[in-house]
Amino acid sequence: MFPGGGDMQKLLQQAQQMQADYMQAQQELASSEVTASAGGGLVSATVTGDGELKGVKIDPKAVDPDDVETLEDLVLAAVQAATEDAKRLAEQKMGPLGDALGGLGGGLGLPGM
């Protein structure tokens, strides 16, 4: 027992459960996708919950050979918006687990930490 009545075995079991929850959340994020658009839907980008760009769709109406710069800006805006949405999703799923495991993982030497 630790001073104050703590039980090392119970603490380790809790840490292992938190690690399992964390890994589950990571897997869910990797398989989740968010899509955001720019230019009123002319350009959209899809990003996984863990930040991987999966695709970009461009409406043919957005393609103007004389104004490629606007299309580039729309693509950039769509990718940035999708990436921000993915970050928010990750914070929702991982926030409490990441905070808790960040403080425990290093000290307990748990794998994946």
Side-chain angles (χ1 to χ4, degrees):
M1 289 223 165
F2 288 114
D7 181 335
M8 181 63 161
Q9 185 64 26
K10 185 175 181 181
L11 179 62
L12 286 174
Q13 287 174 346
Q14 288 174 338
Q16 288 171 341
Q17 181 60 49
M18 289 172 64
Q19 181 188 18
D21 292 345
Y22 184 80
M23 292 175 76
Q24 171 78 26
Q26 283 181 318
Q27 290 173 347
E28 289 175 13
L29 278 175
S31 64
S32 298
E33 293 184 352
V34 294
T35 300
S37 63
L42 290 175
V43 176
S44 64
T46 301
V47 175
T48 63
D50 61 357
E52 180 184 351
L53 179 63
K54 296 297 280 188
V56 175
K57 295 214 184 262
I58 300 172
D59 186 309
K61 291 182 264 183
V63 180
D64 179 354
D66 296 325
D67 187 13
V68 174
E69 189 173 298
T70 297
L71 179 57
E72 292 170 342
D73 290 343
L74 290 174
V75 170
L76 182 61
V79 170
Q80 287 175 332
T83 300
E84 285 301 314
D85 288 349
K87 284 180 187 178
R88 279 192 289 278
L89 178 64
E91 288 170 2
Q92 289 172 354
K93 285 191 178 284
M94 305 295 282
L97 290 171
D99 292 344
L101 288 174
L104 291 176
L108 296 176
L110 297 174
M113 303 286 170

